[in-house]
Amino acid sequence: MEKLSVLFPQVKYNSEYPGWTPDTASKLPETVVRLRKELLGKDTEIEVIHAGLEAGIFAGKNPRLQMVSISPDSFDIHTTNEHVSISSVQEFYTFFAAFLNKLI
């Protein structure tokens, strides 16, 4: 942000959700991919997206925190047509419960 402020001093950044840079040394993404394949037989596509996530707030409070951001299949986010795939919610629940058990 500091470099952009020098180039564009008239721009003000106002966001409750700061950016978040994933920790490439973290084992959590690898665990997510492996466990999802084991449980659901599905490959996982890891994406970096432009979005304000709570992860940015958490990282600001504890930079050593390891995080992944995962969810059921969601569409048309922040529109009047926002919806989620019901079948993906069941899969997500199954996966997430197993994921939490792996961490404990």
Side-chain angles (χ1 to χ4, degrees), residues 79-90:
T79 72
T80 55
N81 195 35
E82 182 172 338
H83 59 284
V84 65
S85 161
I86 299 299
S87 61
S88 77
V89 171
Q90 178 61 47

Side-chain angles (χ1 to χ4, degrees), residues 2-75:
E2 292 109 27
K3 291 180 183 178
L4 290 177
S5 296
V6 171
L7 293 173
F8 304 102
Q10 71 280 11
V11 174
K12 292 183 181 182
Y13 298 95
N14 183 10
S15 175
E16 295 178 31
Y17 296 93
W20 165 57
T21 303
D23 178 1
T24 57
S26 173
K27 299 285 186 201
L28 285 180
E30 177 186 317
T31 302
V32 167
V33 169
R34 184 175 25 79
L35 186 59
R36 188 164 186 259
K37 182 72 169 181
E38 288 172 14
L39 286 175
L40 305 173
K42 294 186 175 184
D43 293 325
T44 300
E45 183 177 330
I46 296 177
E47 297 178 295
V48 176
I49 61 172
H50 177 75
L53 299 173
E54 290 79 1
I57 294 172
F58 298 144
K61 303 282 183 195
N62 182 351
R64 297 180 309 161
L65 189 62
Q66 294 185 38
M67 297 179 283
V68 293
S69 182
I70 56 178
S71 75
D73 296 335
S74 305
F75 306 94

